[in-house]
Amino acid sequence: MDKEQIKLVVIVQCEFASKRCSGHACMRSFYERTGTFQNYPSTTMYLSLTCGGCCGKGLVAKLEHLTKMNLKKWQLQRNQVAIHLASCICKDNYHADVCPHLDYIKNILYKKGYENLIEGSYLSDTATKKRNLGIYKK
């Protein structure tokens, strides 16, 4: 993926984690262009949404609306969108284990034509230390 071609970054957060996490750290990481958000142009836009809850099927309607609005309002094609599965979905962490529906959610994204898929968003120093110690799975 050529990050220079990306016009919109979408962070998909776990519905359940979003009840206790505002997504502030992921947003800050995006705007500071750290971690997985390095090398996106300064003009790249940002959107955060949730998976819709287990099993992630609620994401289908959100993606259909996103695709429609991207084309209608911004003339953005799917290949100009990068979707980051937030760390609360794809990494063992404080909130929960890796989402048991991760492969299903990824399959939904691919079926809807979103191929710029990145696993991970913000990773705290504490979580990184716990992964290195084997407390959290890598």
Side-chain angles (χ1 to χ4, degrees):
M1 171 182 70
D2 180 7
K3 287 187 175 181
E4 290 294 321
Q5 302 304 313
I6 300 300
K7 305 295 182 201
L8 175 66
V9 167
V10 177
I11 299 176
V12 178
Q13 184 181 20
C14 169
E15 178 78 26
F16 295 109
S18 74
K19 294 184 186 325
R20 61 186 175 275
C21 176
S22 66
H24 186 272
C26 291
M27 180 190 68
R28 189 183 75 237
S29 185
F30 171 78
Y31 283 112
E32 292 175 356
R33 300 300 197 264
T34 59
T36 61
F37 302 110
Q38 290 177 351
N39 302 319
Y40 284 115
S42 62
T43 56
T44 302
M45 298 178 290
Y46 164 89
L47 175 71
S48 180
L49 50 89
T50 69
C51 66
C54 292
C55 63
K57 195 166 187 174
L59 189 56
V60 172
K62 291 180 181 191
L63 288 173
E64 289 172 356
H65 183 259
L66 175 68
T67 302
K68 179 181 173 184
M69 296 310 291
N70 277 345
L71 284 171
K72 184 177 179 180
K73 300 293 183 182
W74 302 99
Q75 293 76 48
L76 290 181
Q77 302 296 319
R78 289 175 183 93
N79 65 345
Q80 295 175 296
V81 177
I83 298 187
H84 284 251
L85 294 175
S87 298
C88 57
I89 290 179
C90 61
K91 307 284 186 200
D92 188 18
N93 59 67
Y94 171 78
H95 298 296
D97 293 338
V98 172
C99 175
H101 307 290
L102 177 60
D103 289 335
Y104 180 71
I105 292 170
K106 287 167 45 176
N107 195 39
I108 288 170
L109 293 165
Y110 289 130
K111 280 186 177 181
K112 290 295 174 185
Y114 291 94
E115 295 183 6
N116 296 324
L117 181 59
I118 297 92
E119 290 188 27
S121 53
Y122 169 76
L123 288 175
S124 72
D125 291 338
T126 302
T128 300
K129 286 176 189 173
K130 288 182 177 183
R131 274 186 200 85
N132 291 337
L133 292 171
I135 296 169
Y136 292 160
K137 295 176 229 151
K138 290 191 176 184

